[in-house]
Amino acid sequence: MTDLAAVKRALAAQRIETPSWAFGNSGTRFKVFAQAGVPRTPEEKIADAGMVHRFTGVAPTVALHIPWDKVGDYAALTRYAADQGVGIGAINTNVFQDDDYKLGSVTNPDPGIRRKATDHLLEAIDIMDQTGSRDLKLWFADGLNYPGQDDLRNRQDRLAAALRETYDRLGAHQRMLLEYKLFEPAFYATDVPDWGTSYAHCVELGERAVVCIDTGHHAPGTNIEFIVAFLLRQKKLGAFDFNSRFYADDDLMAGAADPFQLFRIMNEIIRGDALDPAYGINFMLDQCHNIEAKIPAIIRSVMNVQEASAKALLVDRDALATAQNNGDVLEANSILMDAYNTDVRPLLAEVRADAGLDPDPIAAYRRSGYQEKIVAERVGGTQAGWGA
Ligand code: LRH
Ligand code: MN
């Protein structure tokens, strides 16, 4: 039988990290629809992240992306974040937007360009030393568009060398999250295309190199919860970039396109006793809100992760194990589906009320008038995000 008090404690202790860039303008190659009230500075992005935490109670850190969030004084930015009720989370590097990186960054045939890219990764650790961040998050757009364009093995050697130099620079409490992605912007081969490649590099590097699973970075039909189960078993799962998709790297709200998949992922997390922040997995969002209001969309995404987690926490693990061990296929499946089909919104409303929060974070945000305030105040300047 499931211990409801324990479920509520686990939900109250849950931590979800928001992405600074999701508060900025974003879109597709066809159009970026700028929105009124969008932040112009890292401080304004952090203030918006503060609002998500204020109304959900479970989003106390915000991930930064460099140079999108470059400032002169990261210690001051960290103090500003504290005033907004949040901490600075993972530091994301960006070796995908510079002209020099057309043929790759750390995998580029040109050693001078590899040096430049590696120096950016090292600079990000300097920033972590100032923000107190634990996680260095690496994603490489590096790849090829045509067979023969470059040597696949040489590129892996170059990647490994850059990762080694970066790993050896990490401080004792710092980690490297290596994110993989099947394709885009490269359309023939990506140098870190799948969990296996990331895992192999992380094993080669050491215990503080772990895999980051972005739920939008797999081939259609990929069983992501299998990857979660496997990496948990290997103690190599470090983080998630939660979002959802119908087709490719759509970066839609987590749980919006496939709430059952998010439930199955959180089910493996719960089965692995890995939800508690003490276990060390960084549950992050990585999304782009191209047409919807950004702050409510991120609040909704946090709630979707909470709902998937609550359903997974309600799985009757003893009954499930018994049915599985008895080879009772239908019973085992129905026990899992019973949890998935449970309406957990009243339970989460209780958890929020117990924490002194409004049971409906989105309604509370709407009543706060913050949206109207930022639309009125944030006039002029250059909006953050993709150029409109
Ligand atoms: C790459 C990615 C990566 C970030 C970027 C914003 O698609 O998922 O995590 O650096 O989005
Ligand atoms: Mn990502």
Side-chain angles (χ1 to χ4, degrees):
M1 191 50 209
T2 307
D3 170 354
L4 217 47
V7 167
K8 291 177 77 173
R9 280 195 303 276
L11 291 169
Q14 183 166 29
R15 294 293 174 264
I16 298 161
E17 184 159 302
T18 55
S20 67
W21 54 96
F23 297 103
N25 283 324
S26 58
T28 71
R29 57 184 157 179
F30 302 106
K31 174 68 177 166
V32 171
F33 296 97
Q35 294 183 22
V38 153
R40 286 88 44 99
T41 63
E43 287 80 3
E44 290 181 347
K45 295 177 203 175
I46 289 170
D48 293 357
M51 294 307 284
V52 174
H53 184 48
R54 181 169 146 198
F55 292 104
T56 63
V58 295
T61 54
V62 55
L64 300 185
H65 218 296
I66 308 298
W68 299 341
D69 298 315
K70 194 174 184 60
V71 294
D73 183 340
Y74 288 98
L77 188 71
T78 306
R79 289 193 296 277
Y80 174 82
D83 295 344
Q84 305 303 311
V86 292
I88 304 295
I91 300 297
N92 287 259
T93 55
N94 181 334
V95 286
F96 52 84
Q97 278 189 317
D98 188 301
D99 289 341
D100 283 343
Y101 299 144
K102 183 169 73 177
L103 301 178
S105 65
V106 295
T107 62
N108 195 294
D110 178 328
I113 292 175
R114 298 201 295 272
R115 182 69 261 156
K116 174 180 175 176
T118 306
D119 287 344
H120 172 71
L121 308 185
L122 299 174
E123 180 211 347
I125 301 176
D126 298 340
I127 293 169
M128 290 164 68
D129 292 343
Q130 298 165 68
T131 60
S133 299
R134 173 192 63 178
D135 292 341
L136 172 71
K137 177 145 158 277
L138 306 180
W139 171 69
F140 298 101
D142 294 43
L144 309 174
N145 275 359
Y146 298 98
Q149 175 187 330
D150 194 357
D151 182 88
L152 295 171
R153 290 282 300 278
N154 291 348
R155 294 174 71 88
Q156 288 301 311
D157 294 341
R158 298 163 192 160
L159 171 66
L163 291 175
R164 168 52 63 196
E165 183 179 347
T166 306
Y167 183 88
D168 293 348
R169 164 67 183 80
L170 289 173
H173 76 287
Q174 296 170 333
R175 301 187 307 174
M176 174 188 286
L177 309 176
L178 183 55
E179 183 178 357
Y180 58 87
K181 182 174 181 178
L182 183 64
F183 79 103
E184 190 209 30
F187 294 109
Y188 159 59
T190 294
D191 294 295
V192 187
D194 54 28
W195 72 270
T197 307
S198 173
Y199 173 69
H201 279 290
C202 289
V203 169
E204 193 178 315
L205 289 161
E207 67 173 13
R208 282 182 290 109
V210 283
V211 179
C212 175
I213 298 178
D214 184 313
T215 48
H217 287 187
H218 304 82
T222 298
N223 185 324
I224 299 177
E225 62 270 24
F226 170 84
I227 300 170
V228 173
F230 185 90
L231 291 174
L232 280 173
R233 182 174 179 277
Q234 308 306 114
K235 301 213 173 328
K236 273 297 183 190
L237 178 59
F240 286 95
D241 267 2
F242 283 134
N243 49 62
S244 68
R245 53 86 172 270
F246 290 102
Y247 303 104
D249 191 17
D250 308 350
D251 280 341
L252 300 172
M253 292 188 290
D258 190 346
F260 186 42
Q261 180 188 63
L262 186 57
F263 162 77
R264 299 193 314 267
I265 289 170
M266 295 315 290
N267 177 53
E268 288 305 330
I269 290 291
I270 307 296
R271 185 249 178 264
D273 289 325
L275 181 68
D276 192 288
Y279 184 96
I281 292 178
N282 193 348
F283 298 95
M284 300 177 284
L285 299 175
D286 177 6
Q287 303 173 170
C288 293
H289 304 296
N290 300 346
I291 58 175
E292 69 270 29
K294 300 169 191 294
I295 297 170
I298 296 168
I299 292 174
R300 175 75 258 172
S301 304
V302 168
M303 294 166 68
N304 287 353
V305 175
Q306 288 182 296
E307 289 171 20
S309 307
K311 290 169 185 264
L313 284 162
L314 291 176
V315 172
D316 185 335
R317 303 268 154 206
D318 299 339
L320 181 62
T322 304
Q324 289 169 339
N325 296 334
N326 295 344
D328 189 337
V329 175
L330 288 176
E331 179 60 11
N333 176 252
S334 74
I335 288 166
L336 205 72
M337 294 313 290
D338 286 349
Y340 178 64
N341 293 322
T342 302
D343 182 356
V344 293
R345 292 172 293 183
L347 173 67
L348 282 163
E350 266 179 50
V351 170
R352 294 182 188 116
D354 294 350
L357 298 168
D358 190 296
D360 181 343
I362 291 185
Y365 171 73
R366 292 226 161 92
R367 275 198 309 277
S368 74
Y370 184 79
Q371 195 68 26
E372 294 74 14
K373 175 173 153 314
I374 57 179
V375 167
E377 286 175 0
R378 296 177 181 174
V379 177
T382 305
Q383 292 188 322
W386 310 14

